[in-house]
Amino acid sequence: MTNAPKKKLIEVSLPLEAINAEASREKSIRHGHPSTLHLYWARRPLAAARAVLFAQLVDDPSSRPEEFPTIEEQDAERARLHALLEQLVVWENSNDERLLRQARDEIRKSNNGELPAVLDPFAGGGAIPLEAQRLGLEAHASDLNPLAVLINKALIEIPPKFVDRPPVFPGAAETRNGWSRTEGLAEDVRQYGDWMRGLAQERIGRLYPKVTTPDGSEHTVIAWVWARTVKSPNPANPIEVPLVRSWWLGKKKGKEAWIDARVVDGEVRYTVRHDADGPSGDEDGTVGRKGAYAVGDGTPISLNYIRAEGRAGRMGTHLMAVVAEGERGRLYLSPTALQAEAARTERPSDVPEGDLPKNPRDFKTPNYGLTTWADLFTNRQLVALTTLSDLVAEVRERALDDALASGMEPGARLEDGGASAQAYADSIATYVAFGVSRLTDYSSNICSWHSTRETIRNVFGRQAIPMVWDYVESNPFSTSSGNFLGQVNWVSKAIERVPAAPPASVTQSDAAGRNYGELVVSTDPPYYDNIGYSDLSDFFYVWLRRSLGGIQSKAVSTMQTPKFEELVANPYRHDGKSGAERYFISGFNAVFTRVRAVANRDVPLTVYYAYKQQDTRDSGTSSTGWHTLLDGLIDSGWEVTATWPMRTEGKVRLISSGTNALASSIVLACRPRPTDAPATTRRAFVAALKAELPEALRTLIQGSIAPVDLAQAAIGPGIAVFSRYSRVREADGSDMSVKDALLLINSTLDEVIGEQESDFDPDTRFAVKWYRQYGWVQESSGIADQLARSSDTSIGALERGGIFEAKGGKARLLAPGHLEGAWDAAADERVSVWEATVRLAAVMAKDGADKVAELLPSVQTRVNLDAVKELGFLLFHEAEKKKDTKDAILFNGLVSAWGDVNEQARKYASTPRSSQQAFDFDEDED
Ligand SMILES: C[S@@+](CC[C@H](N)C(=O)[O-])C[C@H]1O[C@@H](n2cnc3c(N)ncnc32)[C@H](O)[C@@H]1O
């Protein structure tokens, strides 16, 4: 191969711990997070997308030998880049211009002074294009799904057109001194949203009467709590009975509220009670997975009966309670005839059309007769949503007048590339339409009441539409859970924080057919059959199409979101399971073959793979989706050069000992494999693994990676060896499968990690061997004696070293619990790497990083701290093999906090770290 492209940082090392920590922290950040613009499924964390793009574009120092000739210099430069990345991924730094400028400079340095353009052809909720834009790169996004297209337009295409402008809504510009970035745009969205709300209230406010409490005071209603009903199948008592999952409304201590239902004169009557004596366990609610029962006489009601009644259109509703805004918290009130009556409005004639998909896995309501999109809303909800949707066009008209009045030129429409008054009005309308679309998620008869949080539960708690029995209708005009202005505010806050940097382009295209030019590609394709994006999106799309028909006419041109080209292994669409599998694999391979043919050669491709629940229970080497992805990429002519596990769970969950047990997704870096790549044999493949893995592992351990992630990250360099060949021949002449290659990689990894052992001091070598065999349990002293001799130490020395105990013919390693107390390493007679590692891990678990940091300055006068870290890795690996979760967590805890601990230790250290001494003990002492 001539002119091999330079290795990028992502192909060598990443500060994974910091990235993972930020990615998981991001999940709890809501205000101003771009994801609050609109719901989408399987969003990647921004921290991960940002880090991946940076590391994909920046050279690894080893590929610039003229600047960094020695390993030490390369390590130091890599550490510098890691430090920058660690800053870059912090949410609070997202719009830190100084930091972003530094990142851009690094990217330029590695790309001939240019900032490359980036494409995500499966852009979804837009995390990758948004982060590309933040890094100053020209961002190209496309997706088949029009909802995704609209979200991407709203995130990256519209905002750069209107930066640093004051709002145009009359009177709004004067409320502040200056308007920078997207503040004006965000303010206008809020203002027009509020204006629109006012108009809607004038038109339909009567449908939302206030409620009067027994003391005569009036309160705005937050929600009406309804039960679906069926006629009891008891022929002797065929009354209409409610189907209720839970009677509870509020569970706050001292403020409990629940619904008491009783039959009076052949009717069920509902009273809200305020005490803690409400029903629990099986007595709570009337319907469960196995069926229901009738209030009053307890007649069992089968789900089949309920389904049949539902499908025959015989399901009814009862108002069970009203939730209102109180001075201090929610008020829960018994229903009144007036409140029930207010809901009984006519169904509007122009509701969105369309049937729910035939996909019983994700859509449960058709079973019960709710078969169209409009069926998922009550009449009152339909009135509110059609009214608000119609107002979107009025907002556009008004915003256009105001924009012109503010002095903007008319210009072209947004769809025609405009960036002036017409386009501005289209943009405002698009954002308020998102407000309406967001509201549908809180204004459907699939929303229920969350009695612990006392809020409305949205439709898409999961990526599916369940059947909900007791549902709530929210009040769009309240100021509480599920109101319209609240939705607009989320949209507006998201706009305030988008990067709005270089111009971006967003198109609706099938990834299999689009143009890839010379673009750098980073993408997160669909994961086999995990999520039915198009089916789910139609819930929102039918409304967006209604409100944006004249505004985003290209994006919403189809009746429903396109289905057939969607790359999802959907058995209901593609002729059963095997048809779906064939469809997915051939589609996936076609896309990546196409990308390979024309993609940028200087920069690797990055691809995300997210595990679904089932996968995470598998071990890393046996998951179908994962193999399909690796196979697909390799078959499409790619060499996989790195695999990075990304975690978004806050806590390390060591539920199984599988290597992937913790990663919620994996990012792969890939390079086009030369068409003339040679074939090889199994034997040569194994030899290459043995030759290359130790160095790759050294670099990984050197970087900040948690032990739990090492095995998964090490697949990268291993699969890189495998995928560099056109094929690897087994002894019988057949081609080695990815699955077998992964098994070989794992066992080589095992050997390589084990080999580190020989570099440790004798006491540590002994302890590792003993731990591997016996853990912390007692064994015969005779065995200990033999093992000690073969490790060049002795029982006496080990005892003096404070790590071992031999008594009455029995011996054992001292468990971490014995070593967690006060310790002054500097004054200790004999210190081994083992003692330091186990003590520090124990202290870490008991007292945390601060305490460990206090100990480090004295520890480093006795042992090499890098050796401690390496032993931490090794012991994690051993514990995992033994399926000892407790120990695995212990050692993972120490090593994954290593970077922080060292940082803190510098505060305590009187001597700089570089002055650390080598191993300090008497090898021949006996
Ligand atoms: C995993 S999601 C992307 C999520 C995104 N990275 C984010 O953070 O929000 C995959 C996307 O691929 C899209 N998709 C599926 N088939 C497609 C096709 N043939 N062409 C283009 N996009 C497609 C889906 O609509 C979905 O938005």
Side-chain angles (χ1 to χ4, degrees):
M1 229 194 310
T2 50
N3 273 346
K6 289 185 199 157
K7 272 198 174 182
K8 298 291 177 185
L9 191 58
I10 199 165
E11 295 174 297
V12 179
S13 166
L14 277 187
L16 257 199
E17 248 333 84
I19 300 169
N20 284 340
E22 277 305 305
S24 75
R25 195 167 75 87
E26 204 181 302
K27 286 210 297 198
S28 57
I29 293 167
R30 299 267 292 141
H31 281 257
H33 195 281
S35 63
T36 63
L37 184 75
H38 198 284
L39 185 144
Y40 202 73
W41 302 272
R43 284 174 188 276
R44 292 294 101 218
L46 304 184
R50 198 177 304 161
V52 167
L53 283 165
F54 178 83
Q56 174 178 11
L57 291 166
V58 169
D59 293 339
D60 182 70
S62 63
S63 58
R64 302 231 292 255
E66 59 302 340
E67 272 173 84
F68 310 104
T70 65
I71 299 263
E72 289 70 29
E73 282 163 295
Q74 290 168 15
D75 283 350
E77 172 63 3
R78 211 174 279 127
R80 187 186 70 81
L81 292 171
H82 279 196
L84 174 57
L85 242 183
E86 285 172 16
Q87 287 298 305
L88 206 57
V89 292
V90 175
W91 162 253
E92 286 73 15
N93 297 342
S94 300
N95 289 325
D96 181 331
E97 249 323 300
R98 188 192 51 83
L99 207 57
L100 290 169
R101 209 171 315 120
Q102 267 184 35
R104 264 169 231 146
D105 288 346
E106 292 300 337
I107 296 175
R108 273 201 200 90
K109 256 196 258 168
S110 297
N111 294 279
N112 307 320
E114 307 275 318
L115 291 171
V118 171
L119 162 70
D120 179 358
F122 295 103
I128 298 169
L130 185 80
E131 292 310 314
Q133 190 176 54
R134 196 186 306 280
L135 290 173
L137 314 170
E138 194 181 288
H140 297 255
S142 61
D143 199 290
L144 182 69
N145 187 320
L147 173 61
V149 170
L150 285 171
I151 292 175
N152 278 275
K153 281 181 181 290
L155 284 176
I156 63 169
E157 203 178 62
I158 297 176
K161 293 176 186 254
F162 305 110
V163 284
D164 297 338
R165 275 181 188 272
V168 303
F169 191 87
E174 295 79 53
T175 57
R176 224 188 260 185
N177 262 340
W179 299 86
S180 68
R181 295 174 20 86
T182 46
E183 286 169 353
L185 181 65
E187 178 61 18
D188 266 340
V189 170
R190 221 173 348 251
Q191 294 283 357
Y192 287 100
D194 190 36
W195 177 73
M196 174 178 176
R197 172 192 185 276
L199 287 184
Q201 195 160 18
E202 275 171 29
R203 292 177 195 175
I204 58 168
R206 68 194 143 72
L207 298 178
Y208 304 90
K210 291 198 169 188
V211 75
T212 312
T213 50
D215 67 4
S217 58
E218 282 202 327
H219 298 264
T220 301
V221 175
I222 298 171
W224 289 266
V225 184
W226 297 87
R228 296 186 203 278
T229 61
V230 286
K231 193 193 272 183
S232 168
N234 179 357
N237 191 19
I239 61 168
E240 233 183 68
V241 289
L243 302 167
V244 175
R245 188 65 139 190
S246 168
W247 297 111
W248 282 94
L249 295 166
K251 286 195 167 167
K252 271 205 192 108
K253 234 179 152 71
K255 290 191 163 184
E256 292 88 351
W258 56 281
I259 300 163
D260 189 12
R262 285 164 200 261
V263 180
V264 181
D265 298 336
E267 271 185 14
V268 182
R269 301 270 169 85
Y270 303 90
T271 315
V272 173
R273 292 194 29 193
H274 299 276
D275 55 55
D277 303 332
S280 59
D282 281 352
E283 291 189 348
D284 188 17
T286 65
V287 63
R289 278 170 194 279
K290 294 197 182 117
Y293 73 88
V295 167
D297 63 14
T299 304
I301 309 175
S302 71
L303 286 179
N304 276 344
Y305 173 83
I306 298 173
R307 286 183 193 124
E309 289 296 288
R311 287 205 280 253
R314 287 194 293 263
M315 229 184 239
T317 53
H318 283 171
L319 181 63
M320 301 197 294
V322 178
V323 189
E325 290 175 352
E327 305 246 302
R328 267 168 278 120
R330 313 287 195 222
L331 298 176
Y332 295 100
L333 305 157
S334 301
T336 62
L338 177 96
Q339 293 296 338
E341 206 40 50
R344 308 230 178 263
T345 174
E346 288 286 303
R347 179 183 163 112
S349 57
D350 52 351
V351 299
E353 288 171 11
D355 289 336
L356 295 185
K358 289 191 181 40
N359 174 349
R361 185 192 76 173
D362 299 338
F363 294 83
K364 303 294 184 205
T365 64
N367 251 337
Y368 301 92
L370 307 180
T371 56
T372 69
W373 293 111
D375 287 344
L376 301 182
F377 302 91
T378 67
N379 286 357
R380 178 160 56 178
Q381 287 169 335
L382 289 169
V383 170
L385 293 172
T386 47
T387 305
L388 287 165
S389 299
D390 292 344
L391 276 163
V392 170
E394 291 182 44
V395 161
R396 183 189 180 273
E397 291 313 307
R398 164 126 206 234
L400 176 60
D401 290 347
D402 294 340
L404 291 170
S406 80
M408 267 194 224
E409 291 297 316
R413 298 288 298 257
L414 186 64
E415 285 198 309
D416 301 324
S420 210
Q422 295 268 8
Y424 193 68
D426 289 335
S427 304
I428 298 291
T430 303
Y431 289 119
V432 294
F434 271 30
V436 181
S437 185
R438 278 191 57 114
L439 186 68
T440 58
D441 194 24
Y442 291 87
S443 280
S444 151
N445 60 29
I446 301 302
C447 299
S448 51
W449 188 249
H450 200 305
S451 57
T452 320
R453 287 200 216 133
E454 303 193 72
T455 53
I456 292 169
R457 214 186 254 122
N458 61 334
V459 175
F460 288 104
R462 294 188 299 125
Q463 46 225 22
I465 297 190
M467 181 62 185
V468 167
W469 304 109
D470 35 328
Y471 65 87
V472 295
E473 266 186 295
S474 62
N475 178 357
F477 306 114
S478 84
T479 51
S480 306
S481 187
N483 80 88
F484 172 62
L485 209 55
Q487 308 304 332
V488 174
N489 280 336
W490 282 116
V491 174
S492 165
K493 284 205 186 100
I495 300 169
E496 266 170 20
R497 287 193 62 111
V498 294
S505 105
V506 180
T507 52
Q508 186 190 3
S509 357
D510 178 354
R514 67 152 294 144
N515 173 14
Y516 287 86
E518 279 279 298
L519 298 168
V520 169
V521 175
S522 179
T523 194
D524 176 26
Y527 321 113
Y528 200 63
D529 67 344
N530 207 0
I531 301 169
Y533 303 94
S534 61
D535 286 349
L536 297 169
S537 302
D538 279 333
F539 176 88
F540 297 110
Y541 179 75
V542 293
W543 289 103
L544 283 164
R545 181 162 198 273
R546 193 181 191 292
S547 54
L548 291 175
I551 295 162
Q552 296 276 5
S553 57
K554 289 182 197 148
V556 298
S557 62
T558 50
M559 285 293 285
Q560 296 207 339
T561 60
K563 304 282 181 306
F564 188 78
E565 304 87 338
E566 188 181 38
L567 214 45
V568 172
N570 179 340
Y572 310 107
R573 207 181 284 154
H574 299 290
D575 226 6
K577 240 180 144 177
S578 51
E581 181 175 342
R582 273 196 306 277
Y583 178 86
F584 182 83
I585 291 176
S586 72
F588 184 94
N589 293 9
V591 170
F592 286 93
T593 304
R594 192 175 168 92
V595 180
R596 187 195 170 283
V598 290
N600 186 307
R601 303 265 141 179
D602 299 329
V603 177
L605 154 79
T606 51
V607 181
Y608 293 67
Y609 171 76
Y611 288 96
K612 54 179 181 172
Q613 285 316 24
Q614 290 96 298
D615 285 352
T616 56
R617 269 181 246 127
D618 282 344
S619 88
T621 51
S622 64
S623 118
T624 333
W626 173 228
H627 290 158
T628 310
L629 177 99
L630 283 176
D631 264 336
L633 288 168
I634 295 171
D635 283 355
S636 320
W638 292 93
E639 238 179 272
V640 178
T641 53
T643 57
W644 297 105
M646 299 267 169
R647 267 184 285 120
T648 45
E649 285 87 26
K651 278 233 167 84
V652 169
R653 284 182 306 121
L654 284 167
I655 41 173
S656 82
S657 65
T659 48
N660 294 343
L662 304 145
S664 40
S665 63
I666 294 203
V667 177
L668 299 96
C670 309
R671 297 273 190 175
R673 185 174 54 241
T675 36
D676 56 356
T680 194
T681 60
R682 178 189 178 97
R683 185 198 288 238
F685 168 56
V686 172
L689 280 181
K690 288 204 170 138
E692 294 182 35
L693 274 186
E695 176 58 18
L697 216 59
R698 187 199 73 84
T699 319
L700 284 174
I701 291 177
Q702 188 75 29
S704 63
I705 182 171
V708 288
D709 294 324
L710 183 69
Q712 186 61 64
I715 288 179
I719 209 80
V721 177
F722 178 72
S723 57
R724 135 181 354 140
Y725 299 106
S726 57
R727 49 192 289 232
V728 176
R729 271 194 316 275
E730 297 279 12
D732 64 3
S734 65
D735 285 355
M736 182 182 288
S737 67
V738 163
K739 194 169 170 189
D740 288 341
L742 288 175
L743 288 173
L744 277 176
I745 292 166
N746 273 347
S747 65
T748 314
L749 180 69
D750 229 41
E751 282 173 33
V752 172
I753 291 183
E755 278 158 14
Q756 286 174 333
E757 223 175 298
S758 53
D759 298 338
F760 293 122
D761 57 80
D763 285 16
T764 302
R765 282 203 307 269
F766 164 86
V768 170
K769 285 192 197 112
W770 182 276
Y771 176 76
R772 190 177 288 134
Q773 285 282 323
Y774 313 115
W776 311 110
V777 297
Q778 279 194 332
E779 257 305 327
S780 109
S781 298
I783 298 180
D785 188 45
Q786 260 180 17
L787 188 63
R789 280 171 202 280
S790 69
S791 307
D792 264 348
T793 180
S794 68
I795 294 187
L798 291 162
E799 284 192 308
R800 275 198 304 288
I803 61 170
F804 204 67
E805 181 183 78
K807 267 201 291 224
K810 290 282 180 195
R812 63 171 180 164
L813 269 175
L814 289 182
H818 292 274
L819 299 177
E820 65 189 15
W823 181 47
D824 179 2
D828 195 331
E829 182 196 338
R830 185 181 174 95
V831 181
S832 60
V833 173
W834 176 275
E835 182 182 11
T837 309
V838 177
R839 275 189 185 274
L840 293 177
V843 171
M844 179 80 198
K846 184 164 166 265
D847 299 316
D850 269 351
K851 203 78 198 154
V852 176
E854 265 178 49
L855 294 178
L856 281 197
S858 94
V859 174
Q860 71 175 7
T861 63
R862 304 298 299 277
V863 294
N864 182 319
L865 292 186
D866 288 340
V868 172
K869 188 178 178 189
E870 273 169 33
L871 183 61
F873 270 100
L874 174 60
L875 291 181
F876 169 82
H877 192 71
E878 293 299 335
E880 218 201 13
K881 278 200 294 190
K882 288 152 72 91
K883 299 204 187 313
D884 186 333
T885 309
K886 203 167 148 222
D887 281 3
I889 290 177
L890 186 87
F891 295 115
N892 184 62
L894 176 67
V895 180
S896 51
W898 199 245
D900 286 350
V901 167
N902 269 280
E903 181 86 359
Q904 268 168 284
R906 266 177 228 131
K907 285 197 301 207
Y908 298 107
S910 49
T911 43
R913 225 199 113 178
S914 55
S915 74
Q916 64 185 258
Q917 294 163 16
F919 298 72
D920 168 25
F921 69 94
D922 248 339
E923 302 237 23
D924 54 7
E925 192 184 345
D926 192 351

